[in-house]
């Protein structure tokens, strides 16, 4: 059990570090060199379609609206997103991806698709439930740890 603990701990720590580092290298290409990893995750949280309001996006990212405003100002200046005020309530600000933002979103989505497909290609059908259970436990840990803070 001690050996399994060491292997799992080492693998998780290595994976988290590698995912963060490699994702940045993979998604911040020449075309998107003006974006950071954080910017790309804000773009992902804005999503496709008619966009979303700032509060909903901040909640998705688990950050304050103030922190999101700073990131959003930068993305507006770089022409990845556009803002508009609600007609019904002028205090509500909606954010929507521009064409350039949609292109960045699709690029990031493709990286995630490749990563996920690589895992699925290596698993047998009977191994999938074990992976899902493991990822669920990991998700529960992160959520619980985040809520404690």
């Amino acid at each position: 059990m001690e050996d399994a603990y060491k292997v799992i701990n080492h693998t998780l720590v290595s994976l988290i570090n590698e995912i963060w580092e490699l994702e940045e290298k993979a998604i911040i290409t020449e075309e998107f060199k003006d974006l950071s990893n954080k910017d790309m995750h804000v773009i992902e949280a804005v999503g496709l379609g008619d966009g979303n309001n700032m509060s909903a996006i901040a909640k998705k990212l688990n950050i304050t609206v103030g922190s999101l405003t700073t990131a959003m100002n930068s993305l507006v200046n770089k022409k990845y997103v556009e803002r508009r005020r609600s007609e019904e309530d002028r205090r509500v600000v909606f954010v929507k991806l521009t064409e350039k933002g949609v292109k960045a979103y699709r690029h990031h989505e493709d990286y995630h698709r490749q990563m996920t497909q690589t895992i699925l290609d290596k698993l047998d059908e009977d191994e999938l439930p074990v992976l899902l259970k493991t990822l669920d436990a990991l998700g529960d840990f992160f959520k619980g740890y985040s809520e404690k803070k």
Side-chain angles (χ1 to χ4, degrees):
M1 197 64 164
E2 178 76 20
D3 285 345
Y5 174 88
K6 283 181 181 175
V7 169
I8 291 169
N9 181 60
H10 174 75
T11 303
L12 284 175
V13 171
S14 296
L15 271 176
I16 289 166
N17 290 333
E18 282 181 53
I19 287 170
W20 189 253
E21 197 176 301
L22 286 174
E23 183 173 52
E24 191 152 7
K25 286 178 185 166
I27 62 179
I28 312 304
T29 59
E30 188 60 31
E31 184 177 5
F32 303 111
K33 65 177 181 263
D34 59 341
L35 291 175
S36 67
N37 222 357
K38 186 177 171 186
D39 288 335
M40 201 59 101
H41 287 107
V42 172
I43 287 170
E44 181 181 41
V46 171
L48 300 174
D50 292 333
N52 225 323
N53 69 52
M54 292 284 283
S55 300
I57 297 165
K59 189 175 180 181
K60 257 191 214 179
L61 292 167
N62 203 20
I63 61 174
T64 66
V65 174
S67 296
L68 179 61
T69 299
T70 304
M72 212 53 85
N73 288 341
S74 171
L75 289 171
V76 167
N77 289 338
K78 295 173 189 174
K79 310 244 185 289
Y80 285 96
V81 297
E82 56 191 21
R83 288 187 178 110
R84 66 175 171 75
R85 292 211 176 267
S86 167
E87 297 298 320
E88 297 81 42
D89 184 347
R90 304 289 296 159
R91 295 169 299 176
V92 177
V93 176
F94 287 99
V95 181
K96 182 180 177 186
L97 296 179
T98 62
E99 195 175 317
K100 185 178 178 184
V102 170
K103 208 169 179 186
Y105 180 96
R106 295 271 189 231
H107 177 65
H108 187 216
E109 182 181 54
D110 188 55
Y111 171 77
H112 281 224
R113 186 194 52 73
Q114 288 177 48
M115 177 177 62
T116 304
Q117 195 58 53
T118 299
I119 293 165
L120 290 172
D121 290 347
K122 291 188 186 285
L123 293 176
D124 296 330
E125 212 174 292
D126 58 327
E127 293 172 314
L128 195 55
V130 176
L131 175 62
L132 293 173
K133 185 176 180 180
T134 303
L135 292 174
D136 195 40
L138 194 56
D140 287 347
F141 167 77
F142 286 131
K143 186 173 190 244
Y145 192 82
S146 173
E147 288 170 357
K148 276 194 277 186
K149 291 287 174 193

